[in-house]
Amino acid sequence: MPEEKLVEYRKKIDEDEGLQGKRKSLVGLSILMLAINFTGATFKEANTFIFKIEFTNQSGLSYFLLLAVAFLLIRYYTYAHHYHEELYKLWSSRMLRDRKIFYYHYEAESVNGLLANAINVCGGDEPGIQASKYHITGIFKRGLLYPTSHHHEDGIEEYEELISLTNFTNDWRRADYLKLLAYEFKYQFTAFFKYRENLDLVGPYLLGIAALSLTTWKLGLLSLTT
């Protein structure tokens, strides 16, 4: 099932024409900006199929390209943000399938592994705990979400309960939390280099940010020398 989800995810990315179009534009323009800044190349003229334009103000061109890449970064993100969410679900679900981190023992109706120290509910009372999801709520804020329900006079209310992993106890200590973050880094790092969709999705951001940074730095130097 996990591999099927990965194949489906790759297919969705490859067949998303809007995403691929914005990606190609962002990558192409970013590489152009990097080439200009690294090599010192200048534009002499551009053929617009109707007439030719000669560029005499190279710093003005740099500002134009800077704004263009910034705009394309925003446009690319609007197309890619939901793929980031799916990417997060893929690597975090891989992590929770690691028996050293999270393993639900059906006979004992309890969770084993590192996260067992942070979970104070029984699987018999909360069967949804076996379907827990890793949840990042902020900088160094981590938790587990699991489906549960509440019976009241109007019927059954279904929702997700959050177990905070930054509320430390005698059982769940800071050392355990740091160990969890180490596992998280391992799975994110592995996912980035082992699965091509990570670099396919994140690569354009890296090129765009590099182009913006280098161009901004170079324009700053030019302003100091003039």
Side-chain angles (χ1 to χ4, degrees):
M1 182 63 70
E3 289 302 320
E4 292 178 1
K5 289 183 178 180
L6 180 59
V7 171
E8 181 182 352
Y9 177 78
R10 287 174 176 171
K11 184 178 180 181
K12 286 170 62 177
I13 290 181
D14 292 340
E15 294 180 352
D16 191 330
E17 295 181 359
L19 176 70
Q20 294 302 326
K22 301 300 177 294
R23 180 179 182 275
K24 289 178 182 178
S25 299
L26 176 58
V27 169
L29 197 56
S30 297
I31 292 175
L32 176 63
M33 284 183 67
L34 289 171
I36 291 174
N37 285 287
F38 273 118
T39 65
T42 59
F43 273 105
K44 291 299 183 183
E45 59 182 28
N47 190 345
T48 63
F49 301 104
I50 300 175
F51 49 84
K52 292 183 178 180
I53 302 173
E54 182 176 350
F55 299 95
T56 57
N57 185 352
Q58 294 297 322
S59 63
L61 176 63
S62 295
Y63 281 111
F64 171 76
L65 292 176
L66 189 75
L67 293 174
V69 170
F71 174 75
L72 285 174
L73 273 171
I74 296 172
R75 289 287 291 159
Y76 178 71
Y77 176 75
T78 60
Y79 279 83
H81 76 278
H82 66 279
Y83 290 112
H84 289 293
E85 295 176 358
E86 291 188 42
L87 200 58
Y88 159 75
K89 291 177 182 177
L90 285 171
W91 73 257
S92 62
S93 64
R94 290 189 198 110
M95 188 178 78
L96 287 190
R97 290 197 300 272
D98 189 331
R99 296 168 74 96
K100 296 189 297 291
I101 301 172
F102 183 95
Y103 171 66
Y104 185 76
H105 195 289
Y106 287 92
E107 293 182 359
E109 295 184 331
S110 63
V111 175
N112 295 336
L114 175 65
L115 289 173
N117 297 326
I119 299 173
N120 57 3
V121 297
C122 174
D125 300 325
E126 294 286 356
I129 197 67
Q130 59 188 287
S132 295
K133 295 181 294 186
Y134 195 58
H135 188 56
I136 298 178
T137 57
I139 300 177
F140 296 116
K141 294 288 186 180
R142 304 293 187 268
L144 283 178
L145 278 176
Y146 67 91
T148 187
S149 60
H150 175 66
H151 295 259
H152 51 76
E153 57 183 12
D154 295 328
I156 301 175
E157 178 187 3
E158 296 183 347
Y159 59 97
E160 288 186 316
E161 187 72 34
L162 175 66
I163 298 176
S164 174
L165 298 176
T166 51
N167 291 338
F168 303 110
T169 63
N170 291 332
D171 296 322
W172 179 251
R173 300 162 298 173
R174 284 182 173 81
D176 297 319
Y177 179 66
L178 293 175
K179 190 174 182 181
L180 174 67
L181 292 181
Y183 277 121
E184 178 186 316
F185 175 77
K186 169 191 169 185
Y187 275 89
Q188 288 199 62
F189 184 83
T190 302
F192 190 82
F193 289 99
K194 185 176 180 180
Y195 301 96
R196 68 170 177 83
E197 62 276 5
N198 291 271
L199 192 57
D200 287 347
L201 200 63
V202 177
Y205 292 112
L206 300 179
L207 282 173
I209 293 172
L212 290 178
S213 301
L214 185 59
T215 303
T216 303
W217 176 72
K218 187 172 182 180
L219 289 172
L221 289 180
L222 289 175
S223 64
L224 290 175
T225 57
T226 56

